[in-house]
């Protein structure tokens, strides 16, 4: 398995195109401004953690990255390409739904709720998108799905339906399903928040394995231990703005901003 640190150090920093780049990103729902000018960059191979109180805009920003939510201002890029739009001169033109869907294939997303198809087994859930979206033949898709289920520790549950799986097992199937599309970027929206405490560890172990393999990950999380141990960068958001950012250990052990200090005093 390739060492993540060595991968990052092999390429001169000036040659690296950010996997995610946000420039002055704004998002409103009606009269409520949820994102108030977000600026940040996520490097390829980086585990980028977003923390903050409920309602701070973390999940909304994550959904903007793959255009599940449309931004109202600024620019958002994934791997050097505008998300949801094309630019001609000084004007932006929204992409057609089909074009957005094509680009979204490169971005895997794991939600708080697992959103598995209840009438399909675990292996069928994992193989569905490659078959339907990429046109992979079912034999190849099943073989790949079994490899991914083995990777997340669920090869022995391949024939089980979601109702026969624990919450943690369902979430691991959801991760395998996202990986089946061979994404260049994985988004995690509080993937352990809906789980019983004893089931959290297995999901975090799968995410650690992904991080070690060099997968670029943006993770909205309340798991501060995971952020400290696995994260490369950490952003604390509140009120739709980035309050503080830095290396996870620095931010978590020595926060500089009073708002960050107050938040961490309640969750650590």
């Amino acid at each position: 398995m390739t060492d993540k640190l060595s991968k990052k150090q092999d390429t001169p920093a000036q040659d690296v195109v950010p996997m995610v780049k946000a420039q002055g990103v704004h998002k409103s729902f009606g009269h409520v401004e949820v994102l108030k000018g977000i600026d940040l960059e996520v490097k390829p191979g980086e585990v980028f953690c977003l923390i903050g109180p409920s309602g701070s805009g973390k999940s909304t920003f994550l959904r903007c990255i793959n255009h599940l939510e449309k931004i109202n201002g600024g620019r958002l890029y994934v791997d050097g390409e505008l998300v949801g739009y094309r630019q001609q001169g000084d004007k932006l033109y929204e992409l057609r739904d089909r074009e957005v869907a094509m680009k979204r294939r490169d971005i895997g997303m794991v939600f708080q709720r697992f959103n598995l198809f209840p009438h399909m087994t675990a292996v069928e859930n994992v193989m569905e998108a490659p078959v339907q979206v990429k046109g992979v033949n079912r034999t190849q898709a099943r073989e790949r799905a079994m490899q991914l289920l083995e990777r997340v520790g669920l090869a022995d549950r391949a024939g089980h339906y979601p109702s026969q799986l624990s919450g943690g097992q369902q979430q691991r199937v959801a991760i395998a399903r996202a990986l089946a599309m061979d994404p260049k970027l994985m988004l995690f929206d509080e993937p352990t928040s809906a789980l019983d405490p004893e089931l959290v560890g297995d999901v975090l172990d799968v995410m650690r394995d992904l991080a070690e393999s060099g997968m670029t990950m943006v993770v909205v999380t309340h798991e501060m231990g995971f952020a400290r141990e696995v994260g490369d960068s950490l952003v604390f958001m509140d009120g739709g703005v980035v309050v503080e950012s830095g290396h996870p250990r620095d931010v978590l052990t020595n926060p500089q901003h009073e708002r960050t200090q107050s938040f961490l005093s309640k969750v650590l």
Side-chain angles (χ1 to χ4, degrees):
M1 190 174 287
T2 305
D3 178 70
K4 188 169 63 153
L5 277 177
S6 65
K7 279 180 67 177
K8 291 178 191 173
Q9 292 167 350
D10 286 343
T11 308
Q14 63 268 25
D15 296 335
V16 175
V17 175
M19 184 59 73
V20 179
K21 184 174 183 177
Q23 296 177 315
V25 170
H26 288 258
K27 172 64 183 176
S28 297
F29 294 104
H31 297 297
V32 180
E33 193 175 17
V34 179
L35 301 177
K36 303 174 182 177
I38 301 296
D39 294 292
L40 56 79
E41 289 189 6
V42 180
K43 301 181 186 72
E46 187 172 32
V47 179
F48 192 98
C49 297
L50 292 166
I51 66 170
S54 297
S56 59
K58 310 181 301 297
S59 294
T60 297
F61 177 71
L62 203 70
R63 292 171 65 84
C64 289
I65 293 175
N66 65 356
H67 207 57
L68 288 175
E69 299 289 354
K70 300 175 184 179
I71 65 175
N72 301 119
R75 298 284 192 278
L76 191 53
Y77 301 86
V78 170
D79 202 17
E81 295 188 5
L82 273 171
V83 173
Y85 300 90
R86 58 183 169 84
Q87 184 164 344
Q88 287 187 339
D90 295 331
K91 291 188 175 181
L92 289 182
Y93 297 89
E94 189 168 0
L95 297 178
R96 298 189 197 94
D97 289 345
R98 183 180 179 85
E99 294 173 296
V100 171
M102 286 288 289
K103 291 180 178 293
R104 197 178 281 146
R105 299 193 324 184
D106 293 329
I107 305 173
M109 187 157 184
V110 179
F111 300 88
Q112 294 179 37
R113 297 290 174 180
F114 328 117
N115 298 332
L116 299 178
F117 296 115
H119 62 289
M120 293 183 179
T121 62
V123 70
E124 289 168 344
N125 264 281
V126 176
M127 59 187 283
E128 179 71 4
V131 169
Q132 298 298 330
V133 179
K134 286 189 169 182
V136 177
N137 76 60
R138 298 191 70 83
T139 300
Q140 288 179 317
R142 179 175 289 273
E143 183 178 334
R144 171 70 170 146
M146 287 302 301
Q147 291 172 352
L148 290 169
L149 287 174
E150 183 171 3
R151 182 174 183 179
V152 300
L154 290 173
D156 61 337
R157 297 289 191 273
H160 287 56
Y161 290 92
S163 61
Q164 299 171 308
L165 301 173
S166 70
Q169 290 170 337
Q170 290 185 61
Q171 192 61 293
R172 284 185 279 155
V173 173
I175 294 172
R177 179 181 61 181
L179 292 173
M181 293 294 286
D182 296 315
K184 64 177 74 169
L185 170 66
M186 284 284 285
L187 310 177
F188 293 87
D189 187 7
E190 298 187 24
T192 60
S193 65
L195 303 180
D196 292 333
E198 67 268 23
L199 303 177
V200 167
D202 289 338
V203 173
L204 293 181
D205 285 344
V206 170
M207 293 172 66
R208 285 188 183 92
D209 175 66
L210 277 180
E212 289 170 5
S213 73
M215 174 65 73
T216 310
M217 300 161 60
V218 182
V219 185
V220 173
T221 186
H222 292 300
E223 300 292 339
M224 301 302 163
F226 174 85
R228 183 187 296 109
E229 296 163 25
V230 183
D232 299 298
S233 297
L234 183 142
V235 158
F236 171 67
M237 288 179 62
D238 190 28
V241 300
V242 173
V243 176
E244 189 165 345
S245 62
H247 190 278
R249 287 191 181 90
D250 295 336
V251 176
L252 294 174
T253 59
N254 188 28
Q256 300 300 300
H257 196 283
E258 184 179 342
R259 182 66 188 94
T260 317
Q261 294 168 4
S262 173
F263 173 78
L264 292 175
S265 71
K266 296 170 184 171
V267 298
L268 290 178

